């Protein structure tokens, strides 16, 4: 529930406002200040009779506390409902106190803050003064005079909403260019297609890939490359309308959503303008940089009636533009068959991969940050094709998901990981957690619970060492179903984790309901964390959120000592990444461990030597 718009507190001289039930929010205070949570509550004069004040509380059930003021509207204390009523329920108290003024019974040490006090400062003041003030409320003044009250509930609401908005912005906008990121682009494209369908119009999707950007990055450095990307984003925005969307998907890939187009010819003219514009020199730190752009175009609904298909076809058209000389645009057509044939071939080969035992699992260690203890591994699927060689998961996993092959592949991976865990135990290695990624399609299968249960019974693994990883977007798609499905899985004794956390927009109300053991912070926030304050803010916020919910955190993509030091400073519990080890076959993992430590009795934990590293100067904890 959002905070209502703040209105000016009624003047104490306005008798029409001084009713016992006055509750008007005030239109004063700056952004993120106490004024945003101010409520006007009619104060009590210091010389008012105790019984008169008691009668006011008895007739107003919503009144929990109010200020006691002097003749100049300056607060001198606070009277709280519970204390007053409790006092007068005792025998003979009415006779003893009936003639006393209220200032003899008030709290003489309330929290009093100026209306311009920052919300964060107020929270610290209350923590220092005592949490009882969260329940009793606090007095707000302006120029030394009473203007209203604030409550602990309103303070918590304001802090929570502000943190959620900040996290939302950080997670939905590219931190380098300020453009929409992939997550927001997906949502905008879906909405654009829905509007086009309702209005019987067309929408175009442009895939823009920069030519020669890698050369610029490699020769002039990443700082120049980043500045160039920002300049490209700014230049692209100048070619579109406010209703259109420009997004950066990552690296040097940009996309543009153009709504309400009349025909493809108009889109072609826009592409020519964009290509010509990006072909003009960029002046970056006294360097004159010339690049180009290859643009692929797909139109809804002519080229595909779905957002996913539109993305696929625009990408194929962009690839064709690159293959045919760069610096040009290509509109998708059915003649662009090469990419489609390649995709079909990959799908066919993938269907036979399990039969030919071409698939395997690699394992990447997960480390306890505080003491270097090896607490688990993540099982990652790999494909070694006899002629194609090593096929990247980024290439075959999307094909598996689109074709439904991910379900049997996922079941196979779960079974193989559990069998390997059992094999390690038989070889005398201590038990550790094994994390297995679960796809959305696999998780939504009605038989998923039965499959997990069957694998546990078949392999004989202790279920407490199985951790099922689900992505944030997956669990939030149908949160009500997810809560019940996760609760059912927990009855098997398995652990549950959310992967890639921070890339979606979780509802805190549902996050509290999910029976989770662990949250994995997405590697996109860990990478370059020391140089990007926004990433630092996201990581710290996620860790604080998980700590408040009693959920453990693990950071993925840790590549440097600096990353590890920052995470340790932020009290993140676990980490994994190339800094410790790359994913490796099961046999190599066993050798990797044995090569780093003397044999340890099974009762002792596995450990790595984690060096004590000072928190880098770039870490945002410096200067606090």
């Amino acid at each position: 529930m959002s905070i209502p718009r703040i209105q000016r507190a009624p003047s104490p001289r306005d008798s029409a406002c001084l009713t016992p039930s006055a509750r008007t929010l005030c239109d004063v205070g700056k952004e993120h200040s106490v004024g945003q949570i101010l409520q006007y509550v009619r104060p009590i004069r210091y010389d008012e009779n105790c019984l008169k004040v008691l009668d006011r509380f008895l007739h107003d059930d919503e009144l929990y506390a109010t200020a006691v003021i002097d003749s100049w509207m300056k607060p001198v204390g606070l009277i709280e409902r519970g204390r007053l009523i409790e006092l007068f329920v005792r025998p003979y108290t009415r006779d003893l106190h009936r003639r006393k003024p209220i200032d003899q019974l008030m709290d003489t040490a309330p929290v009093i803050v100026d209306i311009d006090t920052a919300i964060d400062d107020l929270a610290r003041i209350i923590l220092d003064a005592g949490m009882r003030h969260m329940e009793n409320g606090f007095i707000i003044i302006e120029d030394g005079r009473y203007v209203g009250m604030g409550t602990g509930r309103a303070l918590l609401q304001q802090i929570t909403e502000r943190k959620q908005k900040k996290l939302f912005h950080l997670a939905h906008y590219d931190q380098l260019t300020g453009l929409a990121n992939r997550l927001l682009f997906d949502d905008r494209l879906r909405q654009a297609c829905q509007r086009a369908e309702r209005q019987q119009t067309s929408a175009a999707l442009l895939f823009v890939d920069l030519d020669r950007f890698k050369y610029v990055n490699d020769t002039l450095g990443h700082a120049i490359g980043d500045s160039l990307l920002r300049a490209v984003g700014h230049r692209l925005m100048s070619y579109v309308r406010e209703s259109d969307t420009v997004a950066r998907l990552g690296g040097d890939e940009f996309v543009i959503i153009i709504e309400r187009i009349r025909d493809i010819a108009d889109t072609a003219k826009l592409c020519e303008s964009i290509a010509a514009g990006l072909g003009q020199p960029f002046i970056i730190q006294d360097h004159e940089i010339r690049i180009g752009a290859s643009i692929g175009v797909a139109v809804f609904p002519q080229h595909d009636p779905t957002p996913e298909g539109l993305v696929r076809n625009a990408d194929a058209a962009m690839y064709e533009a690159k293959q045919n000389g760069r610096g040009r645009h290509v509109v998708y057509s059915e003649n662009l068959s090469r990419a489609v044939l390649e995709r079909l071939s990959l799908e066919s080969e993938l269907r036979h991969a399990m039969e030919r035992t071409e698939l395997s699992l690699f394992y990447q260690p997960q480390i306890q940050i505080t003491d270097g203890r090896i607490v688990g591994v993540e099982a990652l699927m790999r494909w070694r094709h006899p002629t194609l060689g090593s096929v990247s998961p980024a290439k075959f996993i999307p094909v598996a998901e689109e074709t439904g092959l991910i379900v049997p592949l996922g079941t196979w991976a779960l079974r193989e990981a559990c069998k390997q865990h059992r094999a390690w135990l038989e070889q005398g290695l201590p038990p550790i957690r094994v994390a297995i990624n679960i796809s959305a399609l696999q998780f939504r299968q009605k038989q998923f619970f039965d499959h997990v249960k069957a694998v546990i019974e078949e392999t004989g693994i202790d279920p407490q060492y199985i951790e099922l990883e689900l992505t944030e977007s997956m669990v939030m798609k149908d949160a009500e179903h997810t809560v019940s499905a996760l609760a059912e899985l927990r009855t098997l004794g398995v652990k549950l984790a959310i992967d890639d956390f921070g890339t979606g927009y979780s509802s805190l109300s549902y996050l509290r309901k999910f029976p989770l053991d662990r949250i994995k912070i997405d590697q996109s926030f860990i990478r370059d964390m020391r140089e990007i304050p926004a990433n630092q803010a996201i990581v710290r916020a996620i860790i604080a959120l998980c700590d408040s919910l009693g959920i453990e955190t693990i950071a993925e993509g840790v590549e440097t000592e600096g990353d590890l030091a920052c995470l340790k400073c932020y009290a993140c519990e676990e980490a994994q990444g190339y800094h410790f080890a790359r994913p490796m076959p099961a046999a190599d993992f066993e050798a990797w461990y044995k090569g780093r430590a003397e044999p340890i009795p099974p009762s002792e934990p596995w450990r790595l030597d984690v060096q004590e590293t000072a928190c880098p100067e770039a870490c945002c904890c410096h200067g606090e």
Side-chain angles (χ1 to χ4, degrees), residues 30-50:
K30 301 174 182 177
E31 186 179 8
H32 304 323
S33 71
V34 170
Q36 291 185 294
I37 59 174
L38 185 150
Q39 284 185 307
Y40 182 77
V41 180
R42 182 169 65 85
I44 298 170
R45 282 180 56 90
Y46 71 98
D47 54 357
E48 281 193 46
N49 182 271
C50 288

Side-chain angles (χ1 to χ4, degrees), residues 192-193 195-205 241 244 257-264 267 298-303 310:
C193 292
R195 279 192 292 269
E197 187 173 19
R198 286 196 306 268
Q199 300 168 6
Q200 297 296 301
T201 59
S202 297
L205 176 62
R241 302 161 298 185
D244 301 324
I257 304 171
I258 307 294
E259 298 192 54
R260 301 187 307 278
I261 65 170
R262 289 178 297 180
D263 53 46
I264 295 179
T267 306
V299 177
F300 175 92
Q302 291 93 319
H303 296 148
L310 207 63

Side-chain angles (χ1 to χ4, degrees), residues 504-519:
Y505 185 42
S506 291
S507 165
L508 293 183
S509 61
Y510 276 114
L511 199 56
R512 288 196 300 266
K513 297 178 182 179
F514 293 150
L516 299 172
D517 300 284
R518 192 166 290 100
I519 278 179

Side-chain angles (χ1 to χ4, degrees), residues 150-326:
T151 66
R153 176 176 294 184
L155 174 61
L156 289 176
Q157 176 90 8
Q158 178 68 19
I159 292 174
T160 300
E161 288 188 356
R162 184 153 54 92
K163 294 296 183 184
Q164 281 191 299
K165 288 178 181 178
K166 185 176 181 181
L167 275 175
F168 178 85
H169 187 273
L170 291 173
H172 287 74
Y173 288 88
D174 178 53
Q175 300 306 306
L176 177 63
T177 62
L179 301 174
N181 65 9
R182 182 181 293 274
L183 188 68
L184 185 56
F185 160 73
D186 289 341
D187 183 63
R188 294 272 180 86
L189 181 60
R190 178 182 55 80
Q191 293 184 36
C193 292
Q194 290 175 347
R195 279 192 292 269
E197 187 173 19
R198 286 196 306 268
Q199 300 168 6
Q200 297 296 301
T201 59
S202 297
L205 176 62
L206 280 58
F207 257 59
V208 182
D209 189 88
L210 304 184
D211 301 330
R212 300 181 69 250
F213 175 76
K214 186 178 185 302
Y215 174 78
V216 173
N217 224 24
D218 292 343
T219 56
L220 299 180
H222 293 285
I224 298 292
D226 288 348
S227 297
L228 178 59
L229 290 174
R230 283 191 287 267
V232 168
H234 180 74
R235 193 169 290 186
L236 287 175
M237 288 292 293
S238 68
Y239 288 101
V240 302
R241 302 161 298 185
E242 289 187 6
S243 59
D244 301 324
T245 296
V246 178
R248 177 175 174 244
L249 300 186
D252 60 348
E253 286 190 341
F254 295 81
V255 287
I256 304 175
I257 304 171
I258 307 294
E259 298 192 54
R260 301 187 307 278
I261 65 170
R262 289 178 297 180
D263 53 46
I264 295 179
D266 286 343
T267 306
K269 291 179 182 178
L270 175 63
C271 291
E272 291 171 359
S273 298
I274 291 174
L278 294 182
Q280 296 299 312
F282 291 85
I283 307 300
I284 308 292
Q285 297 182 19
D286 297 328
H287 294 282
E288 182 178 296
I289 302 173
R290 291 182 179 273
I291 59 172
S294 299
I295 306 173
V297 183
V299 177
F300 175 92
Q302 291 93 319
H303 296 148
D304 201 284
T306 67
E308 296 79 11
L310 207 63
V311 169
R312 183 171 58 251
N313 292 343
D315 193 19
M318 184 271 293
Y319 178 80
E320 185 73 11
K322 274 194 173 295
Q323 292 298 106
N324 293 334
R326 303 174 181 265

Side-chain angles (χ1 to χ4, degrees), residues 366-376 605-608 610:
Q366 297 176 329
I367 309 300
Q368 185 83 25
I369 292 178
T370 53
D371 58 11
R373 185 161 51 96
I374 302 175
V375 292
W606 292 1
R607 294 180 184 274
L608 280 177
V610 176

Side-chain angles (χ1 to χ4, degrees), residues 443 470 475 481-490 496 514-516:
F443 181 67
L470 303 92
V475 299
H481 167 74
T482 300
V483 171
S484 60
L486 294 180
E488 186 179 27
L489 287 169
R490 282 298 291 270
L496 300 170
F514 293 150
L516 299 172

